[in-house]
Amino acid sequence: MFMEKLVRETERLSLICSMLDTMRRADKDRNARGWTSPIGLLKITRSCAMISELGTSIAKAGYRECDRVTLEEIQRETRQVLYSLHAQVAD
């Protein structure tokens, strides 16, 4: 159950951050919109929080639905997205 939700949320985050989506949402001067907007940043942050929450639930359940290495990699990638987001907002 948790793993299915984790996979769906990870896919959702991937779609939010995809280059194709960013290009599709670009304005006439090819400036990126979408995930770089305040709402887009909020969606990414919310998705990362959901992934973290689901990962914690899986870990507390004893990794029955997912192996530890996979879960740690998902969490690592999610943290990297948040660090990148933070660096972009700081600029």
Side-chain angles (χ1 to χ4, degrees):
M1 179 177 126
F2 289 120
M3 191 59 196
E4 291 169 5
K5 289 180 181 178
L6 179 64
V7 169
R8 281 194 307 269
E9 196 61 36
T10 303
E11 288 172 346
R12 188 169 103 70
L13 178 62
S14 174
L15 288 173
I16 291 170
C17 297
S18 77
M19 287 302 278
L20 289 176
D21 186 56
T22 301
M23 292 174 72
R24 183 175 58 83
R25 294 174 187 248
D27 63 17
K28 63 181 178 173
D29 297 322
R30 296 195 180 262
N31 295 317
R33 295 182 316 156
W35 67 269
T36 58
S37 70
I39 295 295
L41 297 174
L42 182 62
K43 285 180 181 179
I44 292 171
T45 303
R46 182 184 173 280
S47 187
C48 289
M50 285 283 295
I51 291 169
S52 178
E53 187 176 314
L54 289 165
T56 299
S57 296
I58 292 169
K60 285 181 179 178
Y63 300 101
R64 285 184 284 249
E65 297 184 48
C66 177
D67 67 84
R68 183 182 190 138
V69 174
T70 301
L71 186 61
E72 287 174 353
E73 183 62 28
I74 290 169
Q75 298 287 47
R76 188 177 308 114
E77 289 295 322
T78 302
R79 283 190 301 274
Q80 189 58 43
V81 167
L82 286 173
Y83 295 150
S84 298
L85 195 65
H86 181 35
Q88 180 180 0
V89 171
D91 287 342

